[in-house]
Amino acid sequence: MNQRIFSIGLALLLGAGYSLTAYSQAKPETLVKQRQSAMVLQGKYFGPMAGMAQGKVPFNATVIARNAVYLEALSHMAWDGFNPSTSGEKTRALPEIYSDAAKFKAAQDSFQANAAKLVAASKGGDEAAIKAAIGAIGKDCSSCHDNFRQK
Amino acid sequence: MNQRIFSIGLALLLGAGYSLTAYSQAKPETLVKQRQSAMVLQGKYFGPMAGMAQGKVPFNATVIARNAVYLEALSHMAWDGFNPSTSGEKTRALPEIYSDAAKFKAAQDSFQANAAKLVAASKGGDEAAIKAAIGAIGKDCSSCHDNFRQK
């Protein structure tokens, strides 16, 4: 590989706020930006599915099958950004995220499991099952925001 | 499903800037936020892999296997945000994105194909092949930023 490829990689690495010796120690503001990005994209792909489950948007099994796979991947991307080092950043994250870490982890696990169930349901083609799986994820969103996000 | 689940779904839907009748018509500022979120997360997961390919971060096949899958999913998430309706937003996107749409699409296709190749390579466990696949993606990043992003 040539030096130019290495350079862009290095630029991205540094741009992402990672140190070179310990990539997991991103700056607090970088962690916040990354976890908020994951939330934005969860909204992008879950929003239309929630609308379909409610009958507000025409049901489209192809879109759901695609969005479900994306959402399942995204369901893993936010949580390592909730590091105590970010407590001083201006966000809506509540301190319960760190003081009740087990409950926060259980909320993540539930969302991830339900996202995987939606992927499976979306392959089955049963509209009622798909809508129920979407509803379960909506409940996860609601519950986690109620418990861990400032009103 | 109960009304509360519907409510959170609806709130997310509206929060994401989608109209209820045409979810693809998100507001320009929403499209920008979503596409930038995809770029932030591409950096999150590609950055450490670029560091590993350069020998700046210890090679970790487990992290690469995970990041490659996430990056492949993310490689599909930014492009529908580059809609001409966003031309008035303050971003670094160059007009060539729309005036040379075929070239922009080819750049997306290359990145997506190389991300899929990295997923395959990461399952094979051949360190040199993995590093070469990471390098190919770095080249895609560099080339697309050179052609379509303001310096």
Side-chain angles (χ1 to χ4, degrees), chain A residues 70-91:
Chain A
Y70 294 170
L71 187 65
E72 197 283 324
L74 290 164
S75 76
H76 298 272
M77 297 188 193
W79 320 118
D80 59 353
F82 290 95
N83 186 286
S85 69
T86 63
S87 297
E89 300 295 310
K90 192 173 148 48
T91 77

Side-chain angles (χ1 to χ4, degrees), chain B residues 7 24 29 35 44-45 47 75 80 90 105 117 121 124 130:
Chain B
S7 302
S24 61
E29 63 266 34
R35 75 192 194 203
K44 175 180 179 184
Y45 294 106
S75 75
D80 59 353
K90 193 172 147 47
K105 177 67 167 59
K117 281 180 192 167
I130 290 169

Side-chain angles (χ1 to χ4, degrees), chain A residues 49 61 64-66 68-69 116-126 129-130 133:
Chain A
M49 296 196 290
I64 291 177
R66 184 203 62 178
V69 169
K117 281 180 193 166
L118 175 59
V119 171
S122 73
K123 288 175 182 162
D126 175 341
I130 291 170

Side-chain angles (χ1 to χ4, degrees), chain A residues 4-5 8-9 12, chain B residues 137-147:
Chain A
R4 186 142 173 291
I5 297 172
I8 179 78
L12 284 166
Chain B
I137 294 171
K139 200 173 168 184
D140 286 331
C141 300
S142 170
S143 163
C144 200
H145 287 171
D146 283 351
N147 291 320

Side-chain angles (χ1 to χ4, degrees), chain A:
Chain A
M1 283 169 286
N2 67 35
Q3 195 55 44
R4 186 142 173 291
I5 297 172
F6 280 162
S7 301
I8 179 78
L10 185 58
L12 284 166
L13 187 69
L14 296 174
Y18 290 103
S19 81
L20 288 175
T21 49
Y23 76 89
S24 62
Q25 293 175 359
K27 291 179 194 166
E29 62 267 32
T30 301
L31 291 174
V32 167
K33 196 173 175 185
Q34 291 171 341
R35 76 192 193 201
Q36 290 179 340
S37 293
M39 294 288 175
V40 165
L41 291 172
Q42 285 169 15
K44 175 181 178 183
Y45 293 106
F46 183 66
M49 296 196 290
M52 291 178 201
Q54 295 170 74
K56 304 272 184 184
V57 175
F59 187 82
N60 184 325
T62 308
V63 168
I64 291 177
R66 184 203 62 178
N67 284 19
V69 169
Y70 294 170
L71 187 65
E72 197 283 324
L74 290 164
S75 76
H76 298 272
M77 297 188 193
W79 320 118
D80 59 353
F82 290 95
N83 186 286
S85 69
T86 63
S87 297
E89 300 295 310
K90 192 173 148 48
T91 77
R92 294 167 72 188
L94 290 175
E96 283 72 11
I97 287 169
Y98 309 109
S99 64
D100 199 348
K103 189 175 174 183
F104 187 54
K105 178 65 166 59
Q108 298 164 29
D109 291 346
S110 176
F111 171 37
Q112 289 169 350
N114 283 324
K117 281 180 193 166
L118 175 59
V119 171
S122 73
K123 288 175 182 162
D126 175 341
E127 189 172 324
I130 291 170
K131 288 183 173 177
I134 293 170
I137 294 171
K139 201 173 167 185
D140 286 331
C141 299
S142 169
S143 164
C144 200
H145 287 171
D146 283 352
N147 291 320
F148 299 108
R149 191 175 69 162
Q150 222 166 64
K151 296 282 177 288

